[in-house]
Amino acid sequence: MIVPAVSAAPTEAELDALWEACCGENWGRWGAEDELGTLNHLSAEHRRRAAALVRDGVTISLAHDLGVDPTPECPFPAHHHMLAAGDSRENTGIPGYEASRDYVGTQVHGLGITHVDALCHMFVRGEMYNGRPASDVRSDGARSNTIMAFADGVVGRGVLLDMVAANGGAPLADAAVITRAELEAAERALGVEAGAGDILCIATGRDTRRAAAGGALNPAQGMAGVHPDCIPFFAEREIAVLGSDGISDPMPGLGITNWIFPVHQIGIAGLGLPLIDNLHLGRLAAGCSAVGRYEFLFTLGTLRIVGGTGCPANPIAAL
Amino acid sequence: MIVPAVSAAPTEAELDALWEACCGENWGRWGAEDELGTLNHLSAEHRRRAAALVRDGVTISLAHDLGVDPTPECPFPAHHHMLAAGDSRENTGIPGYEASRDYVGTQVHGLGITHVDALCHMFVRGEMYNGRPASDVRSDGARSNTIMAFADGVVGRGVLLDMVAANGGAPLADAAVITRAELEAAERALGVEAGAGDILCIATGRDTRRAAAGGALNPAQGMAGVHPDCIPFFAEREIAVLGSDGISDPMPGLGITNWIFPVHQIGIAGLGLPLIDNLHLGRLAAGCSAVGRYEFLFTLGTLRIVGGTGCPANPIAAL
Amino acid sequence: MIVPAVSAAPTEAELDALWEACCGENWGRWGAEDELGTLNHLSAEHRRRAAALVRDGVTISLAHDLGVDPTPECPFPAHHHMLAAGDSRENTGIPGYEASRDYVGTQVHGLGITHVDALCHMFVRGEMYNGRPASDVRSDGARSNTIMAFADGVVGRGVLLDMVAANGGAPLADAAVITRAELEAAERALGVEAGAGDILCIATGRDTRRAAAGGALNPAQGMAGVHPDCIPFFAEREIAVLGSDGISDPMPGLGITNWIFPVHQIGIAGLGLPLIDNLHLGRLAAGCSAVGRYEFLFTLGTLRIVGGTGCPANPIAAL
Amino acid sequence: MIVPAVSAAPTEAELDALWEACCGENWGRWGAEDELGTLNHLSAEHRRRAAALVRDGVTISLAHDLGVDPTPECPFPAHHHMLAAGDSRENTGIPGYEASRDYVGTQVHGLGITHVDALCHMFVRGEMYNGRPASDVRSDGARSNTIMAFADGVVGRGVLLDMVAANGGAPLADAAVITRAELEAAERALGVEAGAGDILCIATGRDTRRAAAGGALNPAQGMAGVHPDCIPFFAEREIAVLGSDGISDPMPGLGITNWIFPVHQIGIAGLGLPLIDNLHLGRLAAGCSAVGRYEFLFTLGTLRIVGGTGCPANPIAAL
């Protein structure tokens, strides 16, 4: 798939054209009923080969703890409420039965929770992936492009482009914008190439930066992400899923009118590219560095939320 | 590990002895600080071999949709609340940014939601796995044996003992109690043997029965599960995780005083054996039958709930 | 205000005409911006006179406990989750500061929770009170006719029409339909007359029936309420708020096409009449009977939920 | 009731003595089973006289809107989730029935939500009002001193001590500490005297300060409240309920070891004095000033939360 290249300082018209091109390529590409989008790139054969990447048998979580205290990164944290703790373990009254129970709830999206964006999460001018109308997403749940499309999971080859390692070890600056050329340079530096059906994870060093900042970052001060000229890269390479330790889009970004978060807007709604936001990639980067390989088996079971626009997640990498 | 056998009609004293034996074997076995329990049986080598089981590259979800309407099986269903649907997609006021968002919450345990039981879910006489006191499970979250112990996921060999297929195709009766001998017969019939580090899934045909009943079952009328004489089997075989399309324990069970759910009580608290309750195994059974193999790569990323007693889950099998 | 009378066996056309008449009278009656509806009938003078009804100085709750366990009447019960119980009373770490905390949440409507219906709760053919469109009620909250319109509370004369006492003491039958003639007869029997600005509470003996049924009723078996011929009565009398120990509308009702719950549909959307559903009126009935007065000071502070379609409530009667 | 006076710069020992004296007076005063605490001071006669205060027939809400966006004052805001908005008004499938529905939930306590503190909210050295142990407050709900004790509502004479008006119109400074002498001076200035059974509301101008600050305050910068020498005043005057536009206790307060919030600690747990935190008193102050009376009918229906430590509330003043 060839879509128009994007210049270094893209105009609104340029992203309009990119949007049109992406829709033109992928809407209808896998049929009018398709809800998988670029996950169609991930074939059974890709999965089989990905499984063969498990050599050390080590697994690494790619998620953050579900935060329950508000922070600038996560102003609407999750709720974890005990329903019966040790003090009430006998409250069912069944002799000998002693149990604890709890409740967990969370907003799915945002800048803190590790989560998957379903294809109904984003609209452009009232339309979502495959030409479906915004009115399909109703107040009692979405009718199409929901997280249920991914219910059989995402199991495939994961590729980590650790921009920190590729750039000599320093976390990217606040608000850094990563270009396609930099992604390609990172591929060469790390000895890996992202290709068809891959789950591409881009590390910007956000977790290292947070730790250095004493445990809390403020997204208002910027968050690293990719330049919109990477969107043609994702399309051409036939990436299945894109993840980042940020939200893929940089903040505050390039200031292009109507295209504040082009990877979300054009990626999700145009290409049908599911995103995973707020991955924890620090542990994975250490693991990949240790074994000298930046590819791994990526596994993810999305919660089966009927009508859902995404889900909280803990993807697991197996090296 | 050898623990006492359990007779066909076990007495309270017999299960007391089994409890003591299981604690005696596994409490402290992996150190006083251990919170993994029988997941220690799942080694890196097991994981590597499990990955090699992916031959067809097909993935199958082992979870139910998160129910949001109350049923006898799930009287406390999940909440899925839209925060912004298509009608409010522009409510952030950022030009061009159109998004939908939602909230999901759920009680973790019960008879309906597919979920993992962490080792702090069950107590016997005020104690949980590895001798920790019930007072570690506090109203503001558990302090030990939480779901965080499994944060790096459960990736290993899954084995399906499909008792329906093994028994000629009919779902098990309401309240059926599966004995160790029947599990062993099923292994022979299906050509698979559960062993060290395996995630053992036992299918009783619950989903088929539900469909036959018009979509709803009532657990008060019984639910198939395993006889407590299977607990020594799980221990001896060094099973890492036990799952079922029920809750492993049969309902109403054998009526043994103080031991209403012995697999939960002795398995979780004594052996340190994590359970996965309410799996959907019908699709997997069809898949295994089609390829004639009852082993597969099992993958599960447990949500990182600090202080949590378990988590909702969608384990993915890769054949 | 005069609206068409309704026959004993009303037709769809008759209720269509009633709907048109009610809208014709009350939409615009208090201005195009009005969101108070019939609460406009409750004047400062009415409030002053209502306060003078407090003679014994006794207060009585008109609400049910917020149920937290599902029942046929309340399949979606409230959540009451402790956040810190006695075991975690010191969890802020502030020396000497020992506190417990909790969370409460609930669906607002339904057949179990005592709640107020705001004027945005009901639509007829896409319109709500005062001609506002359904599109004003958005997935991120309602824009008009919300519970905020009543934020300064409902304080006025309450009148209890205890149909049980008026009819000799027996709770009304399942699915009983109370006619206007019966309401008027009850007024005479109880020596009270509902008038302008009143909060009219109609008791059908639901709580007595529930107690007699062992604590649980099933609305599928019917619930007593008023015949649509009472709607002109409410309009002519200029009732400000209507409450009931049921939902005012009987279940299953009269089976009129498109008008399953005419009091909700025509009362709320046509007249702008706020309803209070699922009141507990048994204690009040006993209190009124004891003092021989069926009027009292009614007080209610509605929760200030911006964008809300109603609120859970505990109205207090002072005799 | 006479309790020890408190000096201008109280020591820990002095507050220990005050605590002992308050417990000595009020624990057991109304019987070992009592859960009403100082609400016992509010008699039927007080209620009758309070009703006579309604002269203008005007009602005023004393609550804030339930915040749903996090702020420094309210980091854990409420959840208001639509379940069916206008777009889904027909989702029950019943012809002609068009309705919207929603969900509301909130943490009960904190510095932002207008709420009542039940007597089980605070402990001193593991004990709460009337000598009950902290272990009565369990992870599945409190067993004593719950908000249910107030289920029949709080209807009585409200007295507003508007410290702003009494002090010439300027909101109190951040972290201002109001002494007993200042309360008594305010009584004289405003021509009102708080007495037995009253609901005493103390206004510090917090809402004015918030508005002046552009809509948001930060409690970390201080919040006005009363000096602990007011505790004997509340006790001697036999105040039934104490409310404030802050939390009654000043922040950061006087820095007395183990007594960070003495009004909460000694008031709630010692005297059995229910508090209402975060009242909105600006509208009431304007209303009282306009009519030249600082007394009114106070009405409050507490939500019937079984096992609850308090409730969100919208108290209504009728002048």
Side-chain angles (χ1 to χ4, degrees), chain A residues 66-80, chain C residues 101, chain D residues 75-76 107:
Chain A
L66 268 178
V68 294
D69 288 305
T71 66
E73 290 177 287
C74 196
F76 295 97
H79 317 119
H80 177 235
Chain C
R101 298 180 303 109
Chain D
F76 295 98
Q107 287 200 16

Side-chain angles (χ1 to χ4, degrees), chain D residues 4-287:
Chain D
V6 170
S7 64
T11 61
E12 183 180 5
E14 215 171 326
L15 291 192
D16 285 349
L18 180 62
W19 160 253
E20 293 297 336
C22 288
C23 298
E25 288 288 342
N26 279 12
W27 289 14
R29 178 174 182 170
W30 297 286
E33 299 307 309
D34 183 64
E35 301 196 349
L36 278 175
T38 54
L39 260 174
N40 283 292
H41 292 310
L42 175 50
S43 68
E45 175 59 21
H46 286 126
R47 279 191 210 101
R48 192 164 52 225
R49 277 187 273 149
L53 297 172
V54 180
R55 295 183 209 161
D56 299 286
V58 172
T59 57
I60 297 173
S61 163
L62 307 188
H64 288 275
D65 295 355
L66 267 179
V68 295
D69 288 307
T71 65
E73 290 177 288
C74 196
F76 295 98
H79 317 118
H80 176 235
H81 298 164
M82 297 300 291
L83 303 177
D87 65 354
S88 300
R89 66 190 182 276
E90 300 180 279
N91 72 355
T92 62
I94 303 172
Y97 184 70
E98 305 174 18
S100 65
R101 296 180 303 109
D102 52 5
Y103 173 96
V104 64
T106 189
Q107 287 200 16
V108 169
H109 299 280
L111 307 175
I113 305 278
T114 306
H115 69 270
V116 181
D117 287 342
L119 299 185
C120 67
H121 173 48
M122 293 298 302
F123 313 93
V124 172
R125 298 168 199 148
E127 288 187 299
M128 50 178 169
Y129 170 68
N130 229 0
R132 297 196 173 89
S135 58
D136 268 17
V137 183
R138 300 251 295 265
S139 58
D140 59 353
R143 299 297 193 273
S144 61
N145 286 346
T146 75
I147 193 68
M148 287 299 293
F150 314 148
D152 282 319
V154 177
V155 175
R157 184 173 85 132
V159 166
L160 175 66
L161 290 186
D162 181 1
M163 303 310 293
V164 180
N167 290 286
L172 273 59
D174 277 342
V177 179
I178 303 163
T179 63
R180 173 178 186 151
E182 290 169 317
L183 288 185
E184 290 169 340
E187 287 186 320
R188 290 187 297 272
L190 302 171
V192 68
E193 191 164 300
D198 283 352
I199 296 95
L200 174 59
C201 302
I202 300 176
T204 70
R206 185 185 184 193
D207 304 315
T208 306
R209 283 170 39 76
R210 184 186 300 106
L217 291 176
N218 189 340
Q221 293 162 4
M223 190 152 61
V226 300
H227 191 280
D229 79 347
C230 299
I231 297 172
F233 173 86
F234 304 141
E236 291 164 23
R237 293 291 185 91
E238 300 193 337
I239 300 301
V241 176
L242 178 66
S244 170
D245 56 6
I247 59 163
S248 291
D249 280 296
M251 293 179 67
L254 302 185
I256 309 163
T257 305
N258 283 322
W259 297 107
I260 180 168
F261 293 147
V263 180
H264 276 72
Q265 296 168 293
I266 300 175
I268 295 176
L271 291 175
L273 176 67
L275 300 186
I276 311 180
D277 292 338
N278 311 308
L279 287 166
H280 189 297
L281 295 176
R283 296 178 296 250
L284 177 63

Side-chain angles (χ1 to χ4, degrees), chain B residues 79 85 87-88 91 138-140, chain C residues 79 85 87-88 91 138-140:
Chain B
H79 317 119
D87 64 356
S88 300
N91 72 356
R138 299 252 296 266
S139 58
D140 59 353
Chain C
H79 317 119
D87 65 354
S88 300
N91 72 356
R138 298 252 295 267
S139 58
D140 59 353

